[in-house]
Amino acid sequence: MPKRPTARPSLPTKEEILAFIRESPGPVGKREIARAFRLRGADRAEIKRLLKELADEGLVDRGRGRKLRRPGEMPEVAVIEVSAIDADGELLARPVVWRAEAPPPTIYLAPERRGAPAIGLGDRVLARLRRGPDGVYEGRVIRLIAGRPQRILGVFGPLPEGGQLRSTDRRHKSDFFIAPADTRGARSGELVEAEILPGRRRFGQRRAKVLKRVGHADEPGAISLIAIHSHDIPVEFPDEAIAQADAARPCGPRGRTDLRRVPLVTIDGPDARDFDDAVWAESDTESDNPGGWHVLVAIADVAHYVRPGDALDECAYEPGNSVYFPDRVVPMLPDALSAGLCSLRPGEDRACLAVHIWIDADGNKLRHRFERGLMRSAARLTYEQVQAAHDGRPDDLTGPLVGPVIVPLFGVFSALLEARRRRGILELDLPERRVVFAPDGKIARLSPEPRLDSHRLIEEFMISANVAAAESVEAVRQPCMYRVHDTPDPAKVEALREFLEGLGYRLARGQVIRARHFTRIMRQAEALGHEHLVSGLILRAQAQAVYSPVNIGHFGLALRRYCHFTSPIRRYADILVHRALIAGLGLGRGGLGPDEGARFAEIGERVSASERRAVAAERDALDRYTVAYLEDRVGATFWGRIAGVTRFGLFVTLDETGADGLVPIRSLQDDYYVHDEGRHSLIGRRSGRTFTLGDATEVELIEADAVTGGLVFEIVGHLAGPAETARRKGAPKPPGRRGTPARKKRATRIRGRR
């Protein structure tokens, strides 16, 4: 509490009262003010008037019990809404009511107590708030007020009377009781969708009723079904849309450029389900472009079949994109189009929207031209086939294509790669996992997805086509659905800069940050063996790419204008770009509808959210497949890297499989640990033992829960990474120890289990 004023001959001024309120550690009322200033009953009416004036002028806020607090400060108890999940998996919230002009404060939700309701995005909760010295709040949930529809997916188990449901969502810590009348005939081990019922509990268990039986939990494909239902991925098409797709017919050459003699090829993964882009290249024969190239990228003409406002358009807009799982795809369009008339299958005539691009020997684009065409794919190739053929190991299919097709493609790629390097893009080659199935549908193995030059080749061709599309849409003054990637938040860049300086890397101040600056540091980190730590930090500093009609450029690709044009079978945003090109270039029917452009901002937000949902579902499924693969290896030890540091523990990614799991803070038994957000570390208060993002760690697998998709590890060995090495050589001691300089970063004290 502030120092008690001495006796005074008169009433305090508004400035003195305001200073007292600002210095108080918590909200104060008339009683505390009267006691502090030694006021008597006759003075209290005047104090009441002064406090009302302060509130009316916005200098103080009133909280519970009409107590006063500093402007912009949260009350002790408030209704907040879960608004985001940060890079460490922690829930962030914002106040439902916020009247101050300044932005609302950051609120971190404390980990849920056992038996508490699962909290997620969009939920509103009544929470008790505690403000830290740096202005960051921690919220502890008192009760759930409102949020998402309380439906869950789980595995049914019979009881003598009724049954119980074990949720597939790991945030549900206890099972649910289902009364006999609410089981809908569910059998043991079945996946069911259920609704959580309000009201009384049975022996402490919440009640639920089965709404729909989904399938058996042990069947092949159950894992992707869990992800589909958990993330509300639309899987059924309206009858009208299916009928329209079934009635569609192949397109003829009338009004189109005949490209059927050009040996265009598709290059995709071995398990690709749809083929919406084909490529071809040749040396440019024009004398003014020595060493240059003529490139052709042909994209499925989905806009020919999906018109604004029709049944197919509405059913594509609903999911916004296709969702790809290891064992299946949930397509954006009915199968008759996505795997039929719009899929560029070899030997079949297909409508396309094609772009011719001419580049010079250094990879610079000279000009381009769009046209509507009719093509016939010469071959369906895989990345592995093309790479092997380029490396001198062609097979029967690629052998005849090496000279006329594959060699020119790699010639173009070499030129585009050089231009890419000059442009200075953000190079973060993040490893990907692939699930390989046995003939019976069970998981045979998990393997890292190789990153081949053939992958990069297609990437560069698609980027070139996308840039050409954005430029053309702008040139004909049509609305464009840009793919934008904002520059990193300056606060995140500054935090990254401070951390990197502690490791010996220099990210200069006072300069405009470019993607090349991050890439340069990544190359230095790779040479020193720090790539795991540094790449993770750089990734966390980046903004998220989204769709928008407002062009702010693409930071990661270092491009002034960019859109998505090359995947209209699986992305609704690409269909909009096709329509804009068709309308602006006068390429026939299927252009933008009369009011579509006015809705681009709304559509951009919708398809961006749909994309995030799809990515989350795909990642969820991959994690669950990984857990299923490791389920019989509980007790084994593995080496991995710390991939996330939070107040409640460490996330570790295994080297062998790429599996992610949690090391709970309670399992670190040897010390009290402090979460230093600025250093991305947990630091022991007594020992100084440090666990930092990117450190190599040996862990024992303690728990592998295939139902919830969760892995739990314990640390059994640890190699200090570059951050800990730098700290030991002279960086400040961990927070909370005597002599530690005050830090600006948030530090939360956490007690490990003793």
Side-chain angles (χ1 to χ4, degrees):
M1 289 291 288
K3 185 178 179 181
R4 194 182 191 92
T6 58
R8 52 182 302 109
S10 61
L11 290 172
T13 64
K14 286 198 295 186
E15 289 72 19
E16 289 172 323
I17 295 174
L18 188 59
F20 176 76
I21 294 172
R22 286 174 173 166
E23 293 171 6
S24 298
V28 299
K30 288 185 296 182
R31 179 177 299 176
E32 289 83 1
I33 293 173
R35 184 182 301 117
F37 289 97
R38 299 182 180 180
L39 301 176
R40 300 186 181 278
D43 300 321
R44 296 194 179 191
E46 182 64 17
I47 288 297
K48 182 178 180 180
R49 183 186 66 78
L50 292 175
L51 295 180
K52 184 178 185 303
E53 288 183 8
L54 288 172
D56 292 342
E57 293 169 10
L59 298 175
V60 294
D61 292 337
R62 290 190 181 276
R64 295 177 67 202
R66 301 184 64 81
K67 291 204 171 185
L68 301 162
R69 60 180 183 272
R70 289 169 285 188
E73 187 174 273
M74 293 293 298
E76 295 177 3
V77 175
V79 177
I80 59 177
E81 181 176 301
V82 181
S83 57
I85 302 175
D86 73 1
D88 294 323
E90 295 195 71
L91 294 177
L92 303 180
R94 61 189 176 198
V96 172
V97 177
W98 182 255
R99 297 187 176 90
E101 293 183 4
T106 301
I107 304 171
Y108 282 82
L109 281 186
E112 299 156 24
R113 303 183 304 277
R114 189 172 185 84
I119 305 299
L121 288 175
D123 281 342
R124 288 187 175 187
V125 299
L126 184 67
R128 190 173 303 281
L129 305 177
R130 182 171 62 86
R131 185 179 187 271
D134 55 357
V136 175
Y137 285 82
E138 180 182 80
R140 292 194 173 274
V141 176
I142 298 173
R143 68 173 182 272
L144 178 66
I145 294 177
R148 303 155 297 164
Q150 291 293 291
R151 293 191 177 190
I152 56 172
L153 190 73
V155 178
F156 180 82
L159 294 174
E161 293 185 2
Q164 64 182 6
L165 183 71
R166 187 180 183 204
S167 174
T168 58
D169 188 334
R170 71 190 68 174
R171 293 172 300 176
H172 290 287
K173 308 298 183 185
S174 57
D175 295 342
F176 295 82
F177 172 72
I178 299 176
D182 294 329
T183 64
R184 282 186 176 263
R187 298 179 180 178
S188 178
E190 275 191 322
L191 280 171
V192 298
E193 184 179 351
E195 178 182 359
I196 300 175
L197 299 176
R200 295 181 303 170
R201 301 188 176 206
R202 179 184 181 273
F203 303 122
Q205 285 186 317
R206 285 175 290 171
R207 294 173 177 264
K209 69 175 181 180
V210 175
L211 300 176
K212 182 169 62 175
R213 297 163 65 186
V214 177
H216 202 281
D218 291 334
E219 292 176 356
I223 288 176
S224 54
L225 279 177
I226 291 174
I228 288 168
H229 282 78
S230 298
H231 295 273
D232 295 323
I233 304 296
V235 295
E236 296 178 353
F237 297 110
D239 293 340
E240 186 180 357
I242 294 175
Q244 184 182 335
D246 290 341
R249 293 294 176 262
C251 185
R254 184 177 178 181
R256 295 177 176 270
T257 303
D258 194 337
L259 301 172
R260 286 178 289 184
R261 293 190 177 183
V262 179
L264 287 150
V265 297
T266 62
I267 305 175
D268 297 275
D271 53 355
R273 283 94 164 176
D274 47 52
F275 315 106
D276 47 13
D277 58 85
V279 294
W280 171 81
E282 65 176 353
S283 297
D284 190 358
T285 57
E286 297 295 328
S287 59
D288 61 349
N289 189 22
W293 300 94
H294 169 213
V295 175
L296 180 60
V297 178
I299 307 298
D301 191 356
V302 176
H304 174 76
Y305 298 99
V306 181
R307 301 294 174 85
D310 67 11
L312 284 171
D313 182 57
E314 291 178 3
C315 87
Y317 178 63
E318 173 62 25
N321 46 258
S322 300
V323 188
Y324 294 86
F325 299 105
D327 63 332
R328 74 181 73 200
V329 61
V330 180
M332 183 180 75
L333 293 166
D335 197 63
L337 292 184
S338 62
L341 290 178
C342 292
S343 188
L344 307 181
R345 299 190 300 207
E348 299 182 18
D349 291 358
R350 289 291 182 262
C352 66
L353 187 56
V355 56
H356 296 264
I357 305 174
W358 287 267
I359 68 170
D360 65 20
D362 296 323
N364 302 305
K365 183 171 72 69
L366 303 178
R367 65 187 187 279
H368 67 268
R369 185 186 81 244
F370 283 90
E371 63 188 9
R372 254 176 156 170
L374 187 69
M375 63 158 287
R376 184 182 297 158
S377 172
R380 178 268 197 267
L381 306 177
T382 67
Y383 295 113
E384 291 77 11
Q385 279 181 300
V386 172
Q387 189 66 51
H390 176 65
D391 294 341
R393 294 176 282 106
D395 57 21
D396 292 341
L397 180 59
T398 57
L401 299 173
V402 171
V405 177
I406 295 176
V407 168
L409 289 178
F410 274 91
V412 174
F413 168 60
S414 179
L416 292 176
L417 194 61
E418 183 58 35
R420 174 190 180 106
R421 288 171 181 155
R422 288 197 310 272
R423 199 166 74 241
I425 76 162
L426 180 60
E427 297 274 10
L428 289 175
D429 280 343
L430 302 174
E432 295 185 4
R433 289 172 283 165
R434 182 183 173 199
V435 181
V436 180
F437 294 99
D440 61 359
K442 295 183 178 179
I443 305 170
R445 68 181 187 277
L446 295 172
S447 61
E449 191 72 35
R451 180 73 169 158
L452 306 173
D453 279 347
S454 54
H455 289 96
R456 297 184 177 92
L457 182 154
I458 291 299
E459 250 181 39
E460 290 304 312
F461 273 67
M462 297 305 108
I463 289 172
S464 298
N466 288 335
V467 170
E471 291 177 352
S472 288
V473 172
E474 273 194 14
V476 295
R477 299 183 182 279
Q478 287 288 314
C480 186
M481 185 61 76
Y482 294 100
R483 179 67 168 180
V484 297
H485 182 215
D486 203 354
T487 55
D489 182 284
K492 291 185 177 181
V493 173
E494 183 59 31
L496 174 64
R497 179 185 284 112
E498 290 181 6
F499 189 88
L500 291 174
E501 285 179 352
L503 302 179
Y505 299 98
R506 184 173 179 272
L507 188 60
R509 287 181 170 84
Q511 65 177 352
V512 177
I513 290 295
R514 307 289 187 193
R516 66 170 67 95
H517 298 141
F518 293 124
T519 300
R520 184 191 70 243
I521 289 176
M522 269 300 305
R523 296 296 169 259
Q524 296 171 357
E526 288 172 2
L528 296 173
H530 302 167
E531 65 272 17
H532 296 284
L533 171 61
V534 174
S535 63
L537 291 170
I538 290 176
L539 182 63
R540 289 162 187 264
Q542 303 307 307
Q544 191 167 40
V546 297
Y547 295 104
S548 172
V550 179
N551 182 29
I552 60 172
H554 197 293
F555 175 82
L557 293 175
L559 292 169
R560 293 177 59 189
R561 57 185 60 83
Y562 189 68
C563 68
H564 277 167
F565 157 78
T566 54
S567 295
I569 291 178
R570 63 185 180 91
R571 294 189 302 227
Y572 189 78
D574 299 50
I575 297 178
L576 297 178
V577 173
H578 279 229
R579 289 174 180 169
L581 287 167
I582 292 167
L585 298 173
L587 297 179
R589 300 174 62 188
L592 286 173
D595 63 341
E596 263 192 309
R599 297 178 51 239
F600 265 32
E602 170 196 341
I603 296 172
E605 291 181 3
R606 171 67 179 267
V607 295
S608 297
S610 298
E611 178 187 50
R612 291 192 293 271
R613 177 180 65 181
V615 169
E618 292 166 355
R619 183 173 59 242
D620 183 19
L622 187 56
D623 288 344
R624 290 177 187 274
Y625 275 111
T626 304
V627 173
Y629 178 69
L630 294 172
E631 200 171 16
D632 59 353
R633 300 179 69 180
V634 171
T637 58
F638 307 87
W639 277 97
R641 296 269 176 181
I642 295 177
V645 182
T646 73
R647 297 174 302 121
F648 51 85
L650 306 167
F651 286 101
V652 174
T653 300
L654 302 186
D655 296 338
E656 178 185 344
T657 60
D660 293 300
L662 175 68
V663 176
I665 188 70
R666 64 178 181 272
S667 69
L668 303 176
Q669 304 178 19
D670 59 336
D671 207 340
Y672 290 84
Y673 281 85
V674 172
H675 176 215
D676 188 332
E677 188 180 41
R679 294 192 189 125
H680 303 275
S681 301
L682 288 181
I683 306 173
R685 286 189 63 189
R686 293 192 305 272
S687 66
R689 188 185 188 200
T690 302
F691 298 96
T692 299
L693 189 74
D695 284 358
T697 297
E698 188 180 17
V699 294
E700 179 183 348
L701 179 58
I702 302 300
E703 179 183 326
D705 192 330
V707 173
T708 63
L711 295 174
V712 178
F713 300 128
E714 281 191 5
I715 300 286
V716 295
H718 185 71
L719 296 178
E724 169 66 357
T725 302
R727 191 190 69 76
R728 289 176 178 175
K729 290 182 178 180
K733 296 179 180 179
R737 301 179 68 185
R738 180 173 296 178
T740 302
R743 290 184 56 84
K744 297 180 181 178
K745 305 300 177 187
R746 181 170 66 97
T748 304
R749 296 181 178 180
I750 303 170
R751 179 177 181 176
R753 186 180 65 191
R754 296 185 62 78

